[in-house]
Amino acid sequence: MGLVATSRVKSPWILHYCTGGCNGCDIEILACLTPLYDVERFGILNIGNPKHADLLVVTGPVNWKNADVLKNLYEQMPAPKMVMAVGACACGGGVFHNCYNTLGGVDKVIPVDVYVRGCAARPEAVIDGVVAALDKLAGLGRGEG
Amino acid sequence: MASAETLVWALVLLPVAAGLIALLPLGGAGRKALFVPVALVMAGASVYLTAGVAAGGPIAIGLPHSWDTVLTVLDFALLAYFIYAGLAARHSLVTGLAAAGALGLAYLKFARLSGYTPAEPVFYIDMLSAVMCLVISIVGSLIVLYALDYMPRHEEHLGLEKSRQPQFFLFLAGFLGVMNGLAFADNLLWLYFFWELTTLCCFQLIRHDLTGEAKDNALRALWMNLLGAVALLAGTGLAFQQTGSVSVQKLIDIGGAGSGILLALALLCFTGFTKAAQVPFQSWLLGAMVAPTPVSALLHSSTMVKAGVYLVLRLAPAYCGTTLSDMIGLFGGFVFMVTSILAVSQPVSKRVLAYSTIANLGLIVCCAGINTDLAIAAGIALIVFHAVSKGALFMAVGMVEQHIGSRNIEDMEGLRFRTPVVGAAMVVGMLSMLFLPFGVAFSKWAAIEAAGLEEGCFLVITAFLAVGSAATLLFWAKWTGRLLTAGAGPRERREDAPGLAYLAVTGLVAGAVVLSVFIAPLMKRLVIPAQVGMGYANPFDLTAWNLVTANGSFTPWALFIACAVAVLLPALWVKDPEADGTAPGYLCGVNVDGGDEKFWSAGGAAVPVATGGSYWASAFGEEKLTPVFNWAALAGLAAVFLGVIL
Amino acid sequence: MTLTTVLTALGALVLAPLAGGLLYGIDRKVTARLQGRMGPPVVQPFYDFFKLAAKKRMMTSRGSGVWAWAYLLLTMTAFALFFLGQDLLVVVLVLAFAGGALAYGAFAVRSPYAHLGAHRELLQMAAYEPILLLTVVMFAMETGSFTVCGVLAAAGPLLPALPLTFLAVLIALGIKMRKSPFDIAACEHAHQEIVRGVYTEYSGRYLALIELAHWYELVLVLAVVALFWAQPLWVGALIAAGVFLLELFVDNLAARLRWSWMVTAGWGLGIGFIMINMVLLRWLA
């Protein structure tokens, strides 16, 4: 891998957006930042600004109200960028599947690169997902998550 | 040098004569045909005069004794008018001070000076006068040219039935001649005459629009300047008692031996402080903002207020090395600091400019008080640089006001793009007031270096200068930033292109940049000769256009190259983003239709995005700070007079 | 200006990003350890830099890109002036121009968050600027020279004579390093108020430029600290390293303060310390 590819893999900055789930997955994602999991080991930062972010981490089923917000955020991220759907809701609507007010998954609004299962997704699974996303980013083609 | 004498008279009388001719109903075109040549002649004459003084040394011009009678008559006529103005407005302070002036003058002329024939010439033009004359004649003339375009639009805006431009231009142009006279005068009585004439012009120009506020503010300017004039008379009397002469040069030669002379010097400096609107007299200059913009530009940048610091600086060799000098330095530094702090909370552009003017004048006073070779060089250089930059900024603000109908900084968002020429001129003008490769910051650098190595109260002066500089950064940078915001509105429509106004603004801005680049030759040709003429030494080693002092160094051209590379090169090479490379501003993702002009509120409404400046009024507010600063400045003035005794 | 000085300055210009980047890497490592975490590798800032530099160019306003470049180049100018042994006051004033450029870049976009950050950035500058100016004056009072060369040529270390000035510089350093309690302009912990303040609208390569400028700035400020003990210089370097670590500790101990506290600390405490130091110096002499 070249310098740039290495750097991309070593420095994924995350924008985390919840589209209206139960916050279970959000809490697990935040748990990743705690000393126990310490994702900053891998250069991962929760940056909170789409213009700085490389990886959009979305939780929740996406509803009609915030689909535009999600799209706006995604469009404000400079390429190369990845999207990771965390938890059952983000992957396909979860318990909200077929609800009148939800769209049923992040991929109904923006392209998703990695799906992380679970309700809620465990921190280990979230980290695994990030690694899968990074592999994809590095062009190694391993693991689709 | 007969030709020099002609030049001097031309510089004093030509603008006055042109102003008188302008009283005729000439119309706009006629006034242009009159004043454009006059401006060119003034600029040329001042350059020619400076070259003459630089080559042939100071010029002294005497007048027949009979002129003294004319002078006396004119003096009393002026004072009579002031008394009348005071009575008409029922302003007892004006009446009282004018009457006190008349009594003092009568006592001086008929009791103390009766039978006295001055041995010294009336006019004495050295390089310092010449520098002052250059500033007045070039910057001032440009302001008159600007006024030719500005005033018709101003009157149109006011909807006047009968144009009041003739008398406006009489006082505006006459002002230049009077100021030149003031810069040339050596005889204190003549100085007093010109001093009162500037007060008259100032009074008339401030009340020009004849609104209630304009009249009130004109009266305030009048009483404060009359107070200074009374001090000038007292100083003249004391100087005569001590030196047996009314010559400024004689006073400087004898210098600060004995408290009598020092008291005279302190009184003259006090006169300078009132004219230069130093705290606690700042309110007249702030009030002068009601006048049309050319007046503000003229009062602030090139003339009126500069007369005050010119006098203080002119007398600097006389009080060199005394406690009085230290106190003047402290007072000036204090004024620089507090007015810079006060400017932070101002949203009205003209008030920011006014406070910045007072601050810079305070810095010049401070330089005079520090009173070393380097400090005096900084002070003289600052007179030039400040006049050029501030003149440009005032005129630009005037044009903006006519474009957008507001003088509030909040309404100036994105002017760089809405009015590209004036906006860019303002940005460059502000950078030239603030950052280092430019001349104003150079003076600040020199002042701090000059004060830094001195003993005693200079420790406090450096602290004043440091805090003042920080506050300066705050108010200039946030205003500049506001102008630079992209996408704040469409380009302003312009009804007509006022050519002279654009010429004046862009010319002065270009002048500020060019003078800053060529600061070393400017020092060599003008500033250093001026201060050598005053009896100071050259503090700089100017080899290879560097400004190297004994303790520090400043390389303007290298810094200019570096800064040009840093700012201009990216401006050329950073390309506009491609179509897919633009992103709207971040609004938490709730941008309406992916743009950045509106966002969805929680209630589902499309709310326009607004940005605003911070003024931190809770900390830097005028209401809170002004009284404190006024009292402190009064204490400072008391310290100046106390400095006489110590 | 000899050839050696020019070569030193060139060398410093090349090496400073390495040193600055590593220092910021150490910063993140130490901070993580203080919080009981492993933390990223020490070279993490370099990964971040190259990643940002290689991102697709995206901008909200052309002006912000121009001013980001200006910020970097002006910082490098100040840096070069310092290592060329030039006037310290000039260095501080050029650094102020650089800081102004950073704020202008934020002002260039019509974004409420960027504007808020820019105003706060200006407040930060206003708070530390007098301390730096007066520190230079104190150096000059002790050594008789305003130039870096002159201070280096002085007979002995300055710290024993200027202990309170040193304390004031610590305040300035805290603000300049954008560390708690004075990290009000762009701190990620202030996300709720200002997102990322001045940096909100920058992305990709322009953010990388700003990062690079920070590295230069950090090395420059630490070099000024090292001047407190320039004979021998290695003691100064140790002091600078110690001060750097101290700031990291304070950063992790302290909470963010309001801007008024910061200005009070800069203008009140900082200048107060320096003034007392000045008086003591005169009194003892």
Side-chain angles (χ1 to χ4, degrees):
Chain A
M1 278 196 290
L3 181 63
V4 169
T6 315
S7 301
R8 275 181 185 153
V9 171
K10 294 275 192 186
S11 160
W13 289 358
I14 287 175
L15 173 68
H16 167 209
Y17 181 58
C18 171
T19 60
C22 69
N23 284 143
C25 294
D26 303 317
I27 288 168
E28 297 302 320
I29 288 172
L30 291 181
C32 297
L33 300 172
T34 58
L36 184 61
Y37 297 101
D38 185 27
V39 287
E40 208 195 336
R41 275 181 294 163
F42 312 118
I44 300 173
L45 284 182
N46 185 9
I47 203 75
N49 177 352
K51 302 195 169 187
H52 299 180
D54 309 291
L55 183 62
L56 177 57
V57 175
V58 191
T59 59
V62 187
N63 57 39
W64 292 101
K65 189 87 176 164
N66 58 30
D68 279 345
V69 176
L70 182 61
K71 217 165 140 222
N72 272 333
L73 289 176
Y74 179 72
E75 278 166 5
Q76 287 184 8
M77 288 170 61
K81 55 189 170 187
M82 311 291 281
V83 178
M84 185 164 94
V86 173
C89 298
C91 291
V95 293
F96 302 105
H97 190 70
N98 276 351
C99 269
Y100 69 95
N101 61 326
T102 64
L103 291 165
V106 176
D107 53 10
K108 298 285 190 296
V109 184
I110 52 173
V112 175
D113 297 279
V114 179
Y115 297 86
V116 176
R117 285 164 296 185
C119 181
R122 295 175 61 82
E124 290 89 341
V126 174
I127 296 173
D128 270 356
V130 174
V131 172
L134 294 176
D135 281 349
K136 200 171 170 186
L137 190 66
L140 293 183
R142 279 191 281 128
E144 294 292 309
Chain B
M1 264 175 99
S3 70
E5 212 158 301
T6 326
L7 278 176
V8 169
W9 284 115
L11 283 164
V12 177
L13 293 180
L14 181 66
V16 179
L20 287 172
I21 296 173
L23 281 177
L24 301 172
L26 292 172
R31 270 192 290 272
K32 277 186 189 172
L34 172 67
F35 280 111
V36 173
V38 168
L40 287 174
V41 170
M42 291 276 290
S46 63
V47 172
Y48 196 66
L49 177 74
T50 311
V53 175
I59 301 164
I61 298 172
L63 282 178
H65 190 46
S66 52
W67 276 81
D68 281 355
T69 322
V70 180
L71 182 72
T72 313
V73 172
L74 288 174
D75 268 342
F76 281 110
L78 255 177
L79 285 166
Y81 174 74
F82 288 147
I83 293 174
Y84 162 73
L87 286 175
R90 303 204 175 146
H91 199 294
S92 50
L93 209 48
V94 169
T95 320
L97 284 168
L103 286 176
L105 187 67
Y107 173 70
L108 196 64
K109 284 256 172 158
F110 303 121
R112 306 303 301 268
L113 293 175
S114 62
Y116 162 72
T117 321
E120 289 82 11
V122 168
F123 292 127
Y124 179 83
I125 300 118
D126 61 357
M127 276 306 280
L128 184 63
S129 317
V131 169
M132 196 65 193
C133 169
L134 276 177
V135 170
I136 295 162
S137 305
I138 295 176
V139 181
S141 297
L142 278 171
I143 293 171
V144 173
L145 295 187
Y146 169 86
L148 291 172
D149 271 339
Y150 182 92
M151 287 313 286
R153 289 158 64 99
H154 179 71
E155 295 204 328
E156 195 182 304
H157 176 70
L158 290 181
L160 287 188
E161 281 172 21
K162 187 175 178 298
S163 170
R164 299 190 66 242
Q165 285 187 60
Q167 76 169 113
F168 180 80
F169 278 97
L170 166 66
F171 288 112
L172 196 71
F175 211 155
L176 299 185
V178 171
M179 276 300 299
N180 273 332
L182 198 155
F184 296 152
D186 182 53
N187 184 316
L188 279 168
L189 292 169
W190 280 83
L191 188 74
Y192 173 77
F193 170 61
F194 286 120
W195 201 271
E196 291 284 43
L197 272 181
T198 60
T199 306
L200 171 72
C201 291
C202 171
F203 174 63
Q204 288 294 344
L205 287 171
I206 294 177
R207 71 197 295 273
H208 177 77
D209 284 346
L210 294 179
T211 59
E213 195 190 2
K215 286 179 182 167
D216 286 349
N217 291 348
L219 284 169
R220 188 184 312 136
L222 188 56
W223 82 254
M224 287 189 177
N225 280 301
L226 283 174
L227 179 67
V230 171
L232 179 56
L233 277 179
T236 308
L238 253 174
F240 178 72
Q241 187 199 4
Q242 297 286 327
T243 65
S245 161
V246 290
S247 156
V248 176
Q249 289 303 322
K250 186 84 180 276
L251 184 63
I252 294 170
D253 287 343
I254 293 173
S259 56
I261 287 189
L262 277 180
L263 186 58
L265 289 170
L267 282 167
L268 294 180
C269 286
F270 176 81
T271 311
F273 296 158
T274 56
K275 204 73 160 179
Q278 301 292 285
V279 184
F281 302 110
Q282 79 277 34
S283 57
W284 81 254
L285 194 62
L286 295 168
M289 293 298 121
V290 295
T293 299
V295 177
S296 324
L298 201 62
L299 289 183
H300 278 258
S301 64
S302 57
T303 59
M304 191 73 176
V305 292
K306 285 281 157 60
V309 289
Y310 167 76
L311 185 62
V312 176
L313 206 55
R314 158 72 75 199
L315 296 171
Y319 53 75
C320 187
T322 63
T323 315
L324 174 64
S325 180
D326 296 354
M327 290 301 143
I328 290 173
L330 265 179
F331 179 72
F334 176 75
V335 170
F336 172 67
M337 179 179 76
V338 299
T339 45
S340 297
I341 291 175
L342 284 171
V344 173
S345 67
Q346 300 304 314
V348 180
S349 56
K350 276 186 158 187
R351 281 181 84 85
V352 174
L353 292 179
Y355 273 125
S356 153
T357 299
I358 305 169
N360 276 287
L361 297 174
L363 186 55
I364 299 174
V365 169
C366 179
C367 286
I370 296 169
N371 224 329
T372 62
D373 300 336
L374 184 59
I376 298 295
I380 301 173
L382 191 53
I383 287 187
V384 178
F385 283 116
H386 175 257
V388 175
S389 293
K390 192 53 74 58
L393 281 175
F394 258 111
M395 293 194 281
V397 164
M399 289 171 82
V400 167
E401 195 180 347
Q402 289 189 336
H403 276 314
I404 68 171
S406 166
R407 51 173 71 167
N408 196 311
I409 293 174
E410 289 300 286
D411 299 324
M412 295 191 183
E413 188 181 17
L415 271 190
R416 165 74 191 79
F417 304 95
R418 284 158 62 198
T419 58
V421 180
V422 183
M426 279 175 80
V427 169
V428 179
M430 289 180 193
L431 291 181
S432 77
M433 286 297 296
L434 181 53
F435 289 125
L436 189 61
F438 296 102
V440 175
F442 155 78
S443 299
K444 224 176 277 173
W445 168 83
I448 295 179
E449 297 227 332
L453 291 176
E454 298 293 315
E455 304 279 325
C457 61
F458 288 87
L459 312 177
V460 184
I461 295 182
T462 47
F464 283 159
L465 293 183
V467 176
S469 299
T472 309
L473 176 89
L474 212 50
F475 71 79
W476 280 126
K478 70 190 169 83
W479 185 3
T480 320
R482 198 132 185 86
L483 300 178
L484 286 168
T485 306
R491 203 170 151 163
E492 301 291 329
R493 196 170 58 83
R494 209 173 63 226
E495 296 81 26
D496 57 318
L500 285 175
Y502 274 103
L503 177 84
V505 171
T506 49
L508 276 185
V509 167
V513 176
V514 170
L515 282 179
S516 301
V517 175
F518 295 102
I519 189 167
L522 176 82
M523 283 285 166
K524 193 172 166 186
R525 303 246 171 261
L526 287 181
V527 177
I528 304 295
Q531 74 177 115
V532 169
M534 290 164 71
Y536 293 92
N538 174 9
F540 293 113
D541 173 8
L542 291 169
T543 14
W545 282 17
N546 291 338
L547 299 170
V548 180
T549 65
N551 318 94
S553 69
F554 176 60
T555 315
W557 56 270
L559 263 184
F560 256 101
I561 293 173
C563 291
V565 167
V567 181
L568 294 181
L569 225 53
L572 292 176
W573 94 49
V574 174
K575 289 190 286 292
D576 269 325
E578 317 78 54
D580 63 336
T582 53
Y586 178 71
L587 300 172
C588 294
V590 284
N591 310 45
V592 172
D593 300 330
D596 55 8
E597 278 154 25
K598 288 177 180 170
F599 65 92
W600 293 115
S601 73
V607 181
V609 170
T611 62
S614 298
Y615 298 93
W616 302 295
S618 63
F620 302 117
E622 238 177 0
E623 296 78 17
K624 200 168 113 185
L625 295 181
T626 303
V628 181
F629 288 160
N630 278 348
W631 283 109
L634 271 178
L637 276 179
V640 168
F641 282 98
L642 217 64
V644 174
I645 308 165
L646 298 173
Chain C
M1 209 183 297
T2 61
L3 187 65
T4 335
T5 347
V6 176
L7 287 178
T8 316
L10 278 178
L13 270 177
V14 175
L15 290 177
L18 286 179
L22 278 178
L23 282 171
Y24 273 110
I26 293 170
D27 170 0
R28 286 179 66 175
K29 196 85 191 168
V30 170
T31 300
R33 297 322 293 254
L34 285 172
Q35 296 169 354
R37 298 187 283 114
M38 279 277 287
V42 179
V43 291
Q44 184 63 40
F46 299 103
Y47 292 138
D48 294 346
F49 176 83
F50 287 113
K51 175 205 72 180
L52 286 170
K55 292 211 83 160
K56 186 168 167 15
R57 198 170 78 115
M58 189 175 83
M59 54 188 2
T60 313
S61 133
R62 192 172 155 272
S64 61
V66 173
W67 287 111
W69 272 108
Y71 173 48
L72 171 66
L73 294 173
L74 287 168
T75 308
M76 287 173 72
T77 306
F79 185 88
L81 282 172
F82 182 92
F83 284 89
L84 283 170
Q86 296 293 302
D87 198 297
L88 269 167
L89 217 47
V90 174
V91 172
V92 173
L93 291 171
V94 173
L95 210 55
F97 195 176
L102 181 63
Y104 291 159
F107 274 123
V109 187
R110 196 150 181 278
S111 151
Y113 299 108
H115 281 222
L116 204 54
H119 278 107
R120 291 186 177 191
E121 180 73 25
L122 291 175
L123 272 177
Q124 288 193 356
M125 289 170 66
Y128 69 68
E129 189 81 359
I131 298 182
L132 293 187
L133 289 175
L134 286 175
T135 303
V136 174
V137 170
M138 293 300 286
F139 282 174
M141 275 171 70
E142 272 301 289
T143 64
S145 171
F146 283 94
T147 62
V148 179
C149 283
V151 175
L152 283 176
L158 295 169
L159 187 55
L162 307 175
L164 290 174
T165 311
F166 187 75
L167 277 185
V169 168
L170 291 187
I171 297 176
L173 187 68
I175 306 174
K176 193 84 195 146
M177 279 174 68
R178 299 164 171 83
K179 292 292 181 197
S180 275
F182 304 124
D183 50 348
I184 63 163
C187 172
E188 62 266 37
H189 307 305
H191 181 87
Q192 301 289 328
E193 315 152 45
I194 53 168
V195 185
R196 276 287 272 158
V198 217
Y199 314 129
T200 305
E201 298 298 336
Y202 289 107
S203 60
R205 70 179 71 166
Y206 299 110
L207 204 56
L209 290 179
I210 290 175
E211 208 55 40
L212 184 58
H214 286 343
W215 297 351
Y216 276 110
E217 214 173 54
L218 178 63
V219 176
L220 177 56
V221 180
L222 289 178
V224 172
V225 172
L227 283 184
F228 274 95
W229 205 298
Q231 296 82 24
L233 199 52
W234 62 268
V235 181
L238 276 182
I239 290 177
V243 162
F244 175 73
L245 287 176
L246 181 69
E247 289 294 345
L248 299 187
F249 279 109
V250 173
D251 181 35
N252 281 285
L253 288 173
R256 212 154 24 92
L257 292 180
R258 285 165 51 85
W259 67 266
S260 49
W261 283 77
M262 181 185 63
V263 175
T264 313
W267 290 11
L269 271 184
I271 295 176
F273 280 153
I274 296 181
M275 297 301 284
I276 295 170
N277 202 156
M278 277 180 177
V279 171
L280 284 180
L281 212 58
R282 291 293 165 213
W283 184 54
L284 293 177

